[in-house]
Every structure is written in structure tokens, then in C-alpha cells.
Amino acid sequence: MKLCIALDNPSKEENLKLAKELKEYSNDLWLKVGFRSYIRDGNEFIVELKNLGYNIFLDLKLYDIPNTMADASEEIAKLGVDMFNIHASAGKRAMSEVMDRISKFQNRPLVLAVTALTSFSEDEFKEIYNDSIKNKAKEFAKISYQAGLDGVVCSVWESREIKNATSKEFITLTPGIRPFGEDAGDQKRVADINAAKENLVDFIVVGRPIYKAKKPKEVVEKILNTIKES
């Protein structure tokens, strides 16, 4: 299981400061760049993080018509990021076109499909998708697997069942991680590290418990040690 840190600070300077502070752990963790950071800081920010030795997950959740998604995916692959995501609800054809388009890259990035956002409650999700999170997440995962994607974004609570329905090598990345029982904030389906381990999660995404900590380095060390424990 890998730790992925969400760089969601309100400024580029704060995010870079955190990345530099944690540089010694760059082989053991990934950095997630989301909408806010990417829109504000652009491709230059990606290059700066890569130069520090990190693997980068670009979290833009592409969702559009198939050709537009494929075009955007090709541009993302050119950036040299290591992983990015798209929405599974765009459909199998869109996901397949994305994978076809980036297959020409020698070291293409991993591609994950978003199943159900972890900010959804069960009632909120059902209002839009007319199904339970559990059922729909598994259905989206199967379609993503068939389309040739590398994995999905889901909550901890769907991870094991998704792997059972696809493959144990099919990646699950789980936001909403509160490593040691911290406040859930705007997330609904949260979990701690032990629950992530039990549910065979491959990547855990941790944001506020790290970047809002007075001593983020100590929190990262504690998380990495917990991950390594059998």
C-alpha cells in the first residue's frame, strides 16, 4: 500500500514547502495535484514536483465526450505525470478511447476511473444514480476493467469487493482516509489505515491530516510506519 498526499494548500508556496520538507520520503509516497493547484499553478508546478523526485497523481477527473477525453488524456500523458483519473460514468467507449490514445507512450501513466465520490452519502448518491453506492461502484469498476484501465478510485468500503469482481492486480485508490481517526470534514465514507489494509487498498490519499499538521513530517513517518507494519 502506498501513501498519496493531497497538495490542497491555498498557495503554491505552501505546497512546495511541504513537498521539499518531505523530499527524503519521495521514494515511499506520491503527491496528488488536484483542480485548485493545477488551475492556479499549471504545468510548471508539475515539473517542479517531478524535479524533487516524486511520483505525481494528477486528479482532474476527466468527464466529456470520448474524443475530447482522449485528446485531454494525450496532453496529460505528455506532461510526464505518473497517474491520472477519469470518470467511469463517461462510459466504456470513452474509457477505451482514452486507453487506446495513450497506449503509444512508452511509459504511459496509470489511469484510474472514479466510481463514486467519497463525499457522497448513500442518499445523495441514490438521488443521482438510482442505485446503491456499493452496487454502482462495483458495476463501474467492472466496466473500467473491461475498458483496460489500471484501476479505480473508490472508498475503502468498496475496495475488496471490486477486486473480487475484477482482479487482485486492479488498483484501488481511496480518498477520505483519516489515518488515526481524525475529523471526517466534508467526506462521508472515511476510513483509517487498518481498514484500508483489511480491504486490500493499493493507494491511500491523505490530505488535511498531513498538510494542516503542525509537524507534517512526523505524521507522514507515523503513517508510513503503520503501512509497513504487518
Side-chain angles (χ1 to χ4, degrees):
M1 188 164 66
K2 287 281 189 180
L3 168 63
C4 184
I5 300 175
L7 294 181
D8 292 335
N9 276 307
S11 73
K12 176 183 177 181
E13 292 70 29
E14 289 170 277
N15 282 332
L16 276 178
K17 180 183 176 184
L18 179 62
K20 289 174 181 177
E21 183 178 350
L22 300 175
K23 186 180 177 181
E24 65 187 276
Y25 306 109
S26 61
N27 290 331
D28 298 314
L29 54 83
W30 290 49
L31 298 181
K32 181 176 83 69
V33 176
F35 271 127
R36 185 186 196 183
S37 295
Y38 187 70
I39 290 171
R40 182 186 61 219
D41 307 321
N43 296 348
E44 180 185 324
F45 183 50
I46 301 292
V47 173
E48 289 180 85
L49 295 176
K50 290 295 292 181
N51 287 340
L52 289 172
Y54 288 103
N55 285 315
I56 306 301
F57 168 34
L58 186 58
D59 179 21
L60 300 182
K61 305 180 182 71
L62 303 184
Y63 192 166
D64 211 306
I65 63 173
N67 188 63
T68 300
M69 286 179 66
D71 287 344
S73 296
E74 184 174 1
E75 297 304 323
I76 288 173
K78 290 175 184 177
L79 294 177
V81 301
D82 304 278
M83 181 162 63
F84 70 96
N85 57 3
I86 63 182
H87 266 286
S89 53
K92 187 188 290 186
R93 181 161 61 91
M95 291 191 282
S96 295
E97 287 195 26
V98 165
M99 299 311 294
D100 286 344
R101 186 70 68 84
I102 67 169
S103 64
K104 64 185 177 183
F105 291 89
Q106 186 172 5
N107 295 307
R108 71 162 179 81
L110 297 170
V111 185
L112 308 183
V114 176
T115 56
L117 299 173
T118 50
S119 58
F120 271 127
S121 68
E122 189 68 47
D123 289 342
E124 289 170 335
F125 185 85
K126 193 169 288 185
E127 186 177 14
I128 297 170
Y129 292 98
N130 197 32
D131 202 348
S132 69
I133 292 172
K134 183 179 179 180
N135 289 342
K136 204 67 181 177
K138 185 165 71 171
E139 180 185 331
F140 279 148
K142 285 181 179 179
I143 295 171
S144 305
Y145 181 68
Q146 292 162 5
L149 271 72
D150 300 292
V152 292
V153 181
C154 60
S155 86
V156 165
W157 310 114
E158 293 101 49
S159 175
R160 182 182 285 272
E161 191 159 344
I162 282 171
K163 284 181 177 288
N164 288 340
T166 56
S167 164
K168 64 181 181 179
E169 281 78 35
F170 196 56
I171 294 168
T172 55
L173 177 144
T174 59
I177 300 296
R178 298 297 179 260
F180 310 108
E182 296 88 346
D183 182 71
D186 60 353
Q187 300 280 18
K188 299 295 184 183
R189 298 178 348 270
V190 301
D192 62 18
I193 296 173
N194 288 328
K197 281 184 180 181
E198 290 168 7
N199 286 279
L200 310 178
V201 169
D202 298 291
F203 287 86
I204 57 170
V205 179
V206 183
R208 279 164 281 196
I210 292 175
Y211 68 75
K212 286 195 172 183
K214 290 182 180 178
K215 297 181 179 180
K217 196 171 178 180
E218 290 184 6
V219 178
V220 168
E221 286 180 355
K222 188 177 178 183
I223 292 172
L224 291 176
N225 287 334
T226 304
I227 288 173
K228 290 173 185 175
E229 291 170 2
S230 57

